[in-house]
């Protein structure tokens, strides 16, 4: 397994729309394992393939406290979304930035598993938020895109300043 490089906002590659996975094969399973290792090392609770510059519809999520409940979604699609909740979100591609985003409170998602078989999952709370956040990435949307233009500009400036300071 390998730790992958995570793209950072405002990298334009974060706005590419991911293509569906045609076949769940060893290449996809290896990508999922590498993404999980990258997510845990970061540390984070979710990672989309788009964030590691692979534009395929694949996300990994683990919202458990012990980091022992890895969930892999290939070609995920939200089929129902109910309620609304506003909560603070962060992102491995936008390090150190947190803001409130409104998401559905509960969702039903359908996807393929690592075995290539379809499944459905009902999710609520943090798991539902995380899945929605990661599917946004697959659609070329970063969580800051849900914020006002003023906040987006401030975040861009903050991250550019931080990048200059670390050079």
């Amino acid at each position: 397994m390998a730790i992958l490089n995570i793209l950072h906002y405002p990298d334009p590659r974060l706005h590419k729309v991911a293509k569906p996975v045609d076949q769940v094969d060893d290449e996809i399973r290896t990508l999922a394992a590498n993404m999980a290792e990258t997510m845990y090392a970061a540390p984070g609770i979710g990672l989309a393939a788009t964030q590691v510059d692979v534009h395929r519809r694949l996300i990994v999520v683990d919202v458990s406290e012990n980091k022992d409940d890895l969930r892999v979604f290939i070609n995920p699609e939200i089929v129902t979304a109910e309620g609304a909740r506003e909560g603070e979100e962060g992102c491995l591609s936008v390090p150190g930035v947190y803001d409130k985003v409104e998401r559905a409170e509960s969702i039903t998602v359908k996807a393929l598993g690592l075995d290539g078989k379809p499944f459905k999952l009902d999710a609520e709370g943090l798991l539902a938020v995380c899945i929605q956040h990661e599917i946004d990435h697959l659609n070329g949307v970063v969580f800051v895109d849900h914020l006002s233009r003023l906040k987006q500009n401030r975040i861009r400036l903050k991250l550019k300043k931080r990048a200059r300071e670390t050079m």
Side-chain angles (χ1 to χ4, degrees):
M1 291 193 294
I3 305 263
L4 305 171
N5 184 44
I6 298 173
L7 300 176
H8 289 133
Y9 182 82
D11 191 311
R13 293 173 289 179
L14 289 168
H15 295 289
K16 278 187 169 181
V17 176
K19 292 182 175 19
V21 171
D22 296 325
Q23 182 178 343
V24 179
D25 54 18
D26 287 342
E27 181 182 334
I28 291 298
R29 285 187 277 278
T30 298
L31 175 60
N34 290 339
M35 286 173 55
E37 185 174 352
T38 302
M39 174 189 71
Y40 289 130
I45 61 170
L47 189 67
T50 300
Q51 292 176 271
V52 294
D53 202 21
V54 177
H55 303 283
R56 305 297 297 279
R57 297 192 74 79
L58 169 64
I59 65 174
V60 295
V61 173
D62 188 344
V63 298
S64 68
E65 282 189 34
N66 297 329
K67 302 300 175 208
D68 60 358
D69 189 24
L70 179 66
R71 297 170 187 258
V72 177
F73 301 84
I74 300 166
N75 297 333
E77 183 182 328
I78 295 170
V79 290
T80 63
E82 295 180 5
R85 90 181 242 169
E86 185 178 74
E88 192 169 80
E89 291 187 26
C91 181
L92 295 175
S93 290
V94 194
V97 175
Y98 302 89
D99 213 317
K100 292 187 184 307
V101 176
E102 187 170 300
R103 302 274 186 192
E105 174 63 33
S106 63
I107 62 169
T108 299
V109 63
K110 71 177 185 177
L112 299 176
L114 288 173
D115 58 4
K117 291 184 171 51
F119 70 92
K120 273 189 180 178
L121 175 74
D122 294 320
E124 58 185 28
L126 182 58
L127 180 58
V129 168
C130 189
I131 292 168
Q132 291 170 82
H133 177 112
E134 300 310 331
I135 289 175
D136 267 3
H137 277 298
L138 300 180
N139 295 327
V141 176
V142 181
F143 93 97
V144 296
D145 295 334
H146 292 282
L147 307 177
S148 70
R149 287 272 181 231
L150 177 64
K151 284 186 177 183
Q152 290 176 29
N153 289 334
R154 285 183 180 159
I155 290 166
R156 262 192 220 97
L157 290 172
K158 177 181 178 179
L159 295 175
K160 284 180 182 176
K161 181 180 177 186
R162 189 183 302 151
R164 280 194 307 269
E165 290 171 353
T166 58
M167 289 182 160

